[in-house]
């Protein structure tokens, strides 16, 4: 059984297969409506159960449409309506029921431990739909988007992240090892990636460049990524953190330091880390990026359901 919890645990070859499948399926849907099922209906009769302990717009919708387009169905559980949340039922028993009623489980939670616990007790695959330490479905989809726009492998590119060392960046760092691309990180001092993640990079014989100077990080970038300075799980002094990031805003001046044909990507939702001019400007591909999540979620589901050739 294949879970999708962390990019670290998935062989690079499988990650590449997921992206290739997404490309093929997207191409075949040119003349189809949103809810039309792919011709081969590979997940006919399958139920994906999803649960969000934190807000979500894109992940929720993209998984819903992904399973529908593959011929299956999705059911979203409200955490506050389950016995689990109120302590009236154990996680193990909840997992048993999810496994007998459904065929896959997608969970968004703050607790990485909870994902591991579910994995232990589930007899069906679990997908991490964002945790405090990673956002693997987002980043895999972003690699698909980058290659779709640039029409070449990401391994030939300079990728730049300007922002907090959060869950999305953690997954991007892992992706930089799995897909062998150059990664520059621009962030203030004291907001650099954790040692454990940098040690993992080192162990895998790769290097990531960290700059406390935003301009240096953006030089020669093919892609500039960003995300909210304050994430959903952040228990910080928000005012102070936003102040600490004041020199790390993405504006047109910064975009001019990157390559001429550089693109801007952001997983959304956005905050004040990017100017409206850049976010809504020509170099921004954020809407295409958001839409592509459907296609990559589809291949992630196929991978988990053992249907990826
Ligand atoms: N990018 C992303 O995961 O969006 P949601 O939080 O809306 O799902
Ligand atoms: N880093 C953000 C991503 C939201 C999709 C968060 O965790 O809130």
């Amino acid at each position: 059984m294949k879970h999708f919890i962390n990019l670290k645990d998935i062989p690079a070859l499988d990650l590449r297969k997921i992206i290739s499948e997404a490309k093929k399926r997207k191409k075949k849907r040119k003349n189809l409506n949103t809810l039309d099922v792919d011709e081969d209906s590979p997940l006919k009769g399958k139920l994906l159960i999803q649960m969000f302990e934190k807000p979500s717009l894109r992940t929720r919708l993209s998984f819903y449409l992904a399973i529908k387009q593959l011929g299956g169905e999705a059911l979203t559980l409200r955490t506050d309506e389950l016995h689990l949340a109120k302590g009236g039922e154990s996680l193990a028993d909840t997992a048993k029921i999810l496994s007998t009623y459904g065929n896959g489980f997608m969970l968004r939670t703050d607790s990485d431990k909870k994902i591991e616990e579910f994995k232990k007790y589930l007899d069906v695959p679990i997908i991490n739909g964002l945790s405090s330490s990673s956002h693997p479905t987002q980043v895999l989809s972003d690699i698909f988007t980058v290659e779709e726009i640039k029409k070449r492998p990401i391994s030939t590119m300079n990728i730049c992240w300007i922002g907090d060392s959060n869950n999305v960046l953690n997954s991007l760092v892992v992706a930089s090892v799995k897909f062998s691309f150059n990664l520059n990180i621009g962030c203030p001092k004291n907001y650099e990636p954790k040692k454990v993640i940098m040690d993992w990079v080192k162990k895998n014989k790769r290097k990531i460049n960290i700059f406390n100077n935003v301009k240096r990080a953006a030089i020669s970038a093919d892609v500039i990524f960003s995300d909210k300075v304050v994430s959903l799980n952040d228990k910080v002094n928000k005012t102070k953190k936003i102040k600490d990031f004041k020199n790390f805003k993405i504006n047109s001046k910064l975009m001019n330091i990157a390559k001429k044909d550089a693109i801007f990507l952001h997983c959304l939702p956005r905050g004040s880390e990017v100017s409206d001019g850049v976010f809504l400007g020509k170099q921004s591909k954020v809407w295409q990026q958001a839409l592509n999540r459907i296609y990559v979620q589809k291949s992630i589901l196929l991978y988990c359901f053992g249907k990826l050739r």
Side-chain angles (χ1 to χ4, degrees):
M1 187 167 53
K2 287 179 170 131
H3 301 288
F4 193 91
I5 297 177
N6 196 317
L7 297 181
K8 269 186 203 165
D9 309 327
I10 304 170
L13 207 66
D14 285 348
L15 294 174
R16 181 45 77 189
K17 267 195 210 164
I18 292 174
I19 289 189
S20 306
E21 179 75 14
K23 197 169 165 183
K24 272 187 236 155
R25 283 196 183 266
K26 182 172 179 184
K27 212 168 170 187
K28 283 194 188 156
R29 286 195 65 88
K30 283 222 166 93
N31 300 315
L32 295 184
N33 287 309
T34 311
L35 284 173
D36 288 342
V37 176
D38 285 4
E39 211 182 347
D40 56 346
S41 193
L43 297 187
K44 186 167 180 282
K46 304 285 185 196
L47 175 67
L48 174 74
I49 300 175
Q50 44 176 358
M51 188 162 99
F52 297 86
E53 294 184 343
K54 303 160 78 169
S56 167
L57 175 63
R58 286 141 285 263
T59 308
R60 183 191 303 269
L61 287 175
S62 56
F63 268 110
Y64 176 81
L65 288 175
I67 187 96
K68 284 278 208 190
Q69 291 184 2
L70 293 169
E73 283 288 339
L75 179 71
T76 302
L77 300 177
R78 283 187 50 166
T79 49
D80 61 341
E81 288 179 353
L82 301 188
H83 298 285
L84 174 68
K86 308 257 185 310
E89 185 156 32
S90 70
L91 188 145
D93 289 0
T94 305
K96 188 72 197 165
I97 297 301
L98 294 176
S99 305
T100 47
Y101 281 55
N103 305 103
F105 183 48
M106 204 284 308
L107 176 65
R108 169 170 289 196
T109 176
D110 256 350
S111 166
D112 287 286
K113 201 171 142 227
K114 194 178 269 180
I115 297 181
E116 286 306 319
E117 285 274 287
F118 265 116
K119 178 185 161 191
K120 194 163 127 196
Y121 294 111
L122 283 168
D123 299 320
V124 296
I126 181 163
I127 299 171
N128 171 5
L130 182 146
S131 73
S132 48
S133 76
S134 67
H135 197 1
T137 64
Q138 174 73 54
V139 165
L140 195 55
S141 178
D142 293 349
I143 288 166
F144 172 81
T145 301
V146 167
E147 294 190 341
E148 178 178 72
I149 294 167
K150 293 285 182 187
K151 299 186 173 48
R152 58 191 165 94
I154 195 161
S155 58
T156 63
M157 294 179 223
N158 296 325
I159 307 297
C160 169
W161 171 274
I162 305 287
D164 189 25
S165 294
N166 60 16
N167 43 9
V168 180
L169 176 62
N170 286 343
S171 291
L172 190 65
V173 168
V174 174
S176 77
V177 173
K178 295 278 178 178
F179 288 91
S180 308
F181 56 81
N182 291 329
L183 180 60
N184 278 6
I185 297 171
C187 62
K189 251 195 154 65
N190 301 324
Y191 292 97
E192 286 114 349
K194 287 208 174 92
K195 188 176 175 300
V196 52
I197 187 124
M198 295 314 285
D199 285 348
W200 183 83
V201 171
K202 223 189 258 167
K203 207 178 102 197
N204 283 278
K205 302 190 170 48
R206 295 279 310 178
K207 197 176 163 272
I208 279 156
N209 309 305
I210 301 176
F211 301 93
N212 298 133
N213 175 308
V214 71
K215 287 183 189 152
R216 286 187 61 205
I219 291 174
S220 296
D222 293 285
V223 183
I224 295 195
F225 274 99
S226 192
D227 187 10
K228 266 190 167 184
V229 168
V230 180
S231 277
L232 287 166
N233 64 308
D234 260 354
K235 289 168 191 71
V236 290
N237 179 333
K238 294 185 179 141
T239 320
K240 178 180 182 309
K241 191 168 181 187
I242 289 170
K243 207 168 138 207
D244 290 345
F245 273 84
K246 74 172 189 312
N247 294 328
F248 288 80
K249 274 206 173 169
I250 294 121
N251 50 30
S252 56
K253 247 187 181 166
L254 189 73
M255 288 306 289
N256 284 338
I257 292 171
K259 283 189 185 158
K260 225 173 136 194
D261 61 351
I263 58 168
F264 173 76
L265 295 179
H266 192 302
C267 64
L268 297 170
R270 65 172 152 145
S272 56
E273 63 285 344
V274 54
S275 71
D276 272 359
V278 170
F279 187 84
L280 301 170
K282 264 200 179 142
Q283 287 169 284
S284 171
K285 303 291 173 195
V286 294
W287 308 125
Q288 184 174 342
Q289 176 188 11
L291 188 66
N292 275 339
R293 295 203 57 208
I294 301 171
Y295 302 106
V296 177
Q297 313 296 34
K298 285 168 79 174
S299 341
I300 290 171
L301 288 169
L302 290 171
Y303 167 76
C304 288
F305 284 79
K307 298 265 185 177
L308 203 64
R309 282 144 282 145

